[in-house]
Amino acid sequence: VIRASSQFQSFYWSANQVIGRPSVYPVYGNNPLAWQPLRIGGFEFLELEFATPLLIRSVCVFETYMPGPLVGISVRRNAGESWLSIWNGNADWTTEQSARMFCPPVSFDYTPYAQLRLDIDLREAVDSDQIDAASISGGARARVCVRG
């Protein structure tokens, strides 16, 4: 975890709960082993770094409580660069009480990225979203056809 706008506590519900494989998903409910922002009523974010830069083809976010407020996904190579948006949407509050693995269609280029930013809109929230994990998939380098 590079940075989070807030976290409910310093251990339980902390941003560090997002590190690694999902530990709560597919179970739905308020769980201290997922990240929960401290407040509702505004915008929150979570910035993550992956060990190996990838040519990102997909991003999946594992939401385990009050899914739906994700409004943006951005990437960058390192901390000295600006964030590049690869997906934007609107908060989509679901009335279903179920966890979801959200994998929106992302735009991509032929640049390996190691950092990921998730933007969350909690302005309409009745309770805070919880994120258990985030994953990226792709290749380590571009593959180019050299023969027709």
Side-chain angles (χ1 to χ4, degrees), residues 45-117:
F45 67 85
L46 183 61
E47 296 175 357
L48 306 169
E49 185 162 24
F50 293 86
T52 304
L54 290 176
L55 301 170
I56 296 174
R57 298 291 180 258
S58 70
V59 175
C60 292
V61 179
F62 297 83
E63 297 173 286
T64 54
Y65 185 62
M66 303 300 287
L70 189 64
V71 295
I73 300 174
S74 302
V75 293
R76 68 182 179 188
R77 289 184 292 185
N78 57 56
E81 295 183 349
S82 298
W83 291 101
L84 171 67
S85 175
I86 60 171
W87 178 81
N88 285 299
N90 296 314
D92 180 24
W93 294 100
T94 178
T95 56
E96 254 183 74
Q97 292 192 352
S98 61
R100 75 173 181 169
M101 180 177 68
F102 183 58
C103 306
V106 296
S107 59
F108 57 86
D109 60 18
Y110 295 100
T111 305
Y113 296 101
Q115 296 184 356
L116 182 74
R117 178 181 166 113

Side-chain angles (χ1 to χ4, degrees), residues 8 28 30 36-42 65-69 91-97 120-130:
F8 194 70
Y28 176 82
N30 187 345
Q36 178 177 318
L38 179 61
R39 53 196 167 268
I40 59 173
Y65 185 62
M66 303 300 287
D92 180 24
W93 294 100
T94 178
T95 56
E96 254 183 74
Q97 292 192 352
I120 299 165
D121 181 356
L122 295 173
R123 291 178 297 172
E124 303 292 323
V126 294
D127 202 351
S128 189
D129 177 53
Q130 290 183 2

Side-chain angles (χ1 to χ4, degrees), residues 1 4 6-25 31-37 46 48 62 64 130-134:
V1 173
S6 70
Q7 57 189 14
F8 194 70
Q9 290 183 2
S10 61
F11 181 75
Y12 293 118
W13 294 285
S14 75
N16 285 336
Q17 296 295 344
V18 176
I19 296 171
R21 295 183 179 277
S23 56
V24 178
Y25 182 86
N31 191 305
L33 299 179
W35 170 63
Q36 178 177 318
L46 183 61
L48 306 169
F62 297 83
T64 54
Q130 290 183 2
I131 295 177
D132 182 27

